[in-house]
Amino acid sequence: MQATIVQAVNDALHTEMERDDRVVVFGEDVAESGGVFRATDELLEEFGSKRVVDTPLSEIAIVGGAAGMAMYGYRPVAEIQFSGFLPPAFDQLVTNASRIRWRTRGELSAPMVVRMPYGAGVRALEHHSESLEGAYGHIPGLQVVVPSTPADTKGLLTAAIRDPDPVLFMEPKRIYRSIREEIPEGEHEVPIGEAAIRSEGEDVTVVAWGAMMPPTLEAVEHGSVDAEVIDLRSISPMDTETVVESVKKTGRCVVVHEGPRTLGVGSEIVARINDEALMYLESPVERVTGFDTPVPLLSMEDFYFPHPPRILDGIEAALSD
C-alpha cells in the first residue's frame, strides 16, 4: 500500500500491537487525539485504553515508566512529542534503560522504544526542532535509529519493537508527509545497524540520514555528480563497513547532517574512515552540517540546515582537491 512516513509509523504500531499483546503505546496525547502528528490515530479504538494511554506532561515519567514496564516483560513504545523535550528524561535513558542489562549481568533487559519526531523545517517553536542524535548515539547500550523513507520507517520500527534492548527511534518530521511510497503490508522488518546504498557511483561517497536524504539526493541529481549515496539509517550501531568500502572505491567522502557540526555524528564517521581507509582518500572528508547554535525560530531556520546548494558545494570541494 502507498503510505507516508507518519502513516508507516501508524501501520507498524498497529501490526505489532495486533501480533503481540505485550506491546503498549503511551505518551502525551497519543490516545484520544491520536498524537500531535496523528501517528497513533485510531489505535485507541482498536486496542483500548489499557494498551494506548495518554500520560501527564512528564517526559522523565514516560521514559522511566517505559523502562520499568520493559523490565517486567512488556514491550512499551513511548512517544516523546518533540525531540527537544527528551533531555528531562536523559537520566532514565542513561541510568536505567541503557545499562540495566549490564547492571544485572543479563538478568534483566529493557526491550523498549522511545519514538520522537526530530529536526527543523516546520517553523516550530523553541525546543521543537533539535537534531541530537550525536548526543544519544554516545550512550552505550542505547540504539539510535533514523529512517528516511516510509518502507524503512515501518521495517525499522518493527525491528525496534522486537529488539531485546532499548531503541531511540527518531522520526524526521520535516518529511513526515512529503514522501509517499509503497510499503509492505503485514509484517515487515528491516535490520537495525545496516546502511542502505540509495544510488551507486564512482567519484565520491555522500553519507546522510533522516531528513537530510531528500536534499542530498537532489544535490547529487542536479549536480550531475557520479556519487554513491549512503543512507546510514542507524546511528548506533553504525554500519562502518558499508561506508568504508564505498570510500575505498571512490576515494572521496562528504557527510551531511542537520545537527550541530562540533562533535556531531559526522566527526565519528570521519574518524572511522581515517582509521580504516585513510590511505584510500584523495582529499579530506568534507562535512556539511547545521551550525553550533540553537535552531533559529520560524523562517530563519531555512538558513540553518543543509540545502542542496550547500551540499553540492561540499561535494565540489571534495572533488576539487
Side-chain angles (χ1 to χ4, degrees), residues 61-84:
I62 294 169
V63 176
M69 293 178 71
M71 293 175 206
Y72 275 86
Y74 288 92
R75 294 273 173 163
V77 182
E79 178 182 301
I80 300 297
Q81 210 165 66
F82 290 90
S83 61

Side-chain angles (χ1 to χ4, degrees), residues 112-290:
M112 56 182 278
V113 179
V114 177
R115 293 180 41 250
M116 63 180 188
Y118 86 95
V122 297
R123 304 291 195 268
L125 300 176
E126 187 181 4
H127 301 305
H128 289 66
S129 304
E130 284 73 14
S131 298
L132 298 176
E133 60 269 30
Y136 299 111
H138 190 68
I139 302 171
L142 179 66
Q143 299 168 97
V144 181
V145 175
V146 190
S148 71
T149 69
D152 277 355
T153 297
K154 179 175 180 177
L156 287 166
L157 183 53
T158 299
I161 294 171
R162 297 179 182 184
D163 199 273
D165 292 298
V167 179
L168 181 62
F169 197 82
M170 301 178 65
E171 300 164 7
K173 66 176 182 289
R174 184 183 176 200
I175 55 173
Y176 253 163
R177 292 181 171 84
S178 63
I179 300 173
R180 182 179 291 273
E181 69 175 8
E182 194 73 21
I183 67 172
E185 295 190 25
E187 297 183 27
H188 171 56
E189 189 171 359
V190 173
I192 293 172
E194 293 186 10
I197 297 175
R198 299 301 183 192
S199 68
E200 295 188 356
E202 299 290 335
D203 293 342
V204 60
T205 299
V206 186
V207 183
W209 54 90
M212 289 296 96
M213 284 307 302
T216 296
L217 291 168
E218 182 180 339
V220 168
E221 181 181 352
H222 288 177
S224 300
V225 180
D226 188 21
E228 184 144 291
V229 180
I230 296 176
D231 183 348
L232 203 58
R233 299 199 294 194
S234 293
I235 304 302
S236 180
M238 186 182 294
D239 185 357
T240 306
E241 181 179 359
T242 295
V243 174
V244 166
E245 290 305 310
S246 178
V247 171
K248 285 181 178 180
K249 178 175 69 172
T250 65
R252 304 173 192 272
C253 185
V254 179
V255 183
V256 182
H257 64 74
E258 183 178 338
R261 181 181 181 88
T262 300
L263 299 177
V265 177
S267 303
E268 177 64 24
I269 294 172
V270 173
R272 295 189 185 198
I273 291 171
N274 288 343
D275 284 345
E276 301 188 32
L278 179 63
M279 301 308 293
Y280 292 85
L281 288 173
E282 301 291 338
S283 66
V285 179
E286 296 287 333
R287 288 179 291 160
V288 183
T289 71

Side-chain angles (χ1 to χ4, degrees), residues 11-23 47 51 157-159 161-162 186-188:
D11 189 47
L13 291 173
H14 188 280
T15 301
E16 287 304 290
M17 292 182 78
E18 194 172 56
R19 183 189 70 87
D20 185 349
D21 60 12
R22 297 174 300 168
V23 179
F47 299 104
R51 296 183 64 196
L157 183 53
T158 299
I161 294 171
R162 297 179 182 184
E187 297 183 27
H188 171 56

Side-chain angles (χ1 to χ4, degrees), residues 300-318:
M300 289 295 292
E301 69 182 11
D302 290 341
F303 299 97
Y304 179 85
F305 46 68
H307 280 82
R310 279 183 61 198
I311 297 170
L312 190 56
D313 286 345
I315 293 172
E316 290 174 348

